[in-house]
Amino acid sequence: MTATPTEHRAKIAEARNVLGEVISRARYAGEPTVLINRGKEAAVIVSYEDYATLRELRSYVAELEAGTAPDEVHKARVLSEALALAKYRATD
């Protein structure tokens, strides 16, 4: 069982002052930093590995959505719903 990584939050100006530390946390510890701009989440600094995984998942969902087999359509819907739920939870 994998523990949920620590998520850091920082205003963009503050993160800029310690950018090396923010990048190191993402890269080596797998700890993302949510960047805040004017009180709202603006972006997230994550490891390249996490970014590549997200891109791969999005590509996979797009391929499944383009498919015509019922199984592919079902898989695409399940993955799309999971991504939508993750996005909803991230903004909650």
Side-chain angles (χ1 to χ4, degrees), residues 11-22:
K11 292 180 181 176
I12 292 173
E14 294 169 356
R16 187 181 301 127
N17 293 331
V18 291
L19 186 58
E21 181 182 322
V22 170

Side-chain angles (χ1 to χ4, degrees), residues 22-91:
V22 170
I23 292 171
S24 290
R25 279 196 308 245
R27 184 176 183 189
Y28 300 113
E31 298 176 353
T33 297
V34 178
L35 301 177
I36 309 298
N37 185 23
R38 298 182 181 173
K40 294 185 179 182
E41 291 90 358
V44 180
I45 296 179
V46 297
S47 68
Y48 186 80
E49 183 179 284
D50 287 350
Y51 169 74
T53 299
L54 179 59
R55 284 185 55 136
E56 198 173 307
L57 282 171
R58 285 182 174 170
S59 175
Y60 181 62
V61 169
E63 286 176 20
L64 288 174
E65 287 175 337
T68 55
D71 185 47
E72 289 178 341
V73 173
H74 174 72
K75 287 178 183 177
R77 189 177 74 243
V78 169
L79 283 172
S80 292
E81 289 173 1
L83 290 172
L85 180 61
K87 184 176 180 180
Y88 172 77
R89 287 180 177 165
T91 60

